[in-house]
Amino acid sequence: MIVTFLFYELLKYLNTPNLMFSTVSIATSFLAATLTMLRSSYYALGYASNDIVLIILWVMASIKDPSYFPVVVNFMIFFLNDMYGFISWKKREAKIEEKIEIG
């Protein structure tokens, strides 16, 4: 909570457009990076959450300037990749737990 507030204040000071979405984006990135460092399979959900926020931000930018639309597509692909990573990691965890129970 404190980290998110600090991000918010910094972005506000820098006159960041779409301040709330930008703050959520940084917070979800920070969460995802932390989960990655902790080697948690939920890191991918953190990045997927950030992708959703970034898709929203870039759709908003694309409304003003359609040349930004390829960036929206890019983050949609990132989202699919993150979901694939999460599902794959969970399957791998299940196989490891199964081997431990059998062994």
Side-chain angles (χ1 to χ4, degrees), residues 19-95:
L19 183 59
M20 293 309 280
F21 282 116
S22 296
T23 302
V24 171
S25 176
I26 289 178
T28 54
S29 291
F30 187 79
L31 174 66
T34 302
L35 292 171
T36 300
M37 182 186 68
L38 296 172
R39 300 189 52 81
S40 169
S41 59
Y42 293 101
Y43 81 95
L45 294 181
Y47 283 118
S49 299
N50 187 49
D51 294 338
I52 291 169
V53 174
L54 290 170
I55 289 167
I56 292 167
L57 281 168
W58 284 105
V59 165
M60 291 167 56
S62 295
I63 290 169
K64 293 180 182 176
D65 183 353
S67 68
Y68 291 130
F69 187 71
V71 181
V72 174
V73 174
N74 183 55
F75 282 107
M76 288 177 172
I77 293 168
F78 285 170
F79 174 79
L80 293 174
N81 186 51
D82 291 334
M83 294 310 299
Y84 173 78
F86 177 71
I87 291 167
S88 296
W89 193 310
K90 285 307 216 182
K91 285 181 181 178
R92 195 172 313 130
E93 281 180 344
K95 285 181 183 178

Side-chain angles (χ1 to χ4, degrees), residues 6-17 19 22-24 26:
L6 293 174
F7 286 142
Y8 174 84
E9 289 299 319
L10 176 63
L11 293 173
K12 184 177 169 184
Y13 175 76
L14 297 172
N15 295 319
T16 303
L19 183 59
S22 296
T23 302
V24 171
I26 289 178

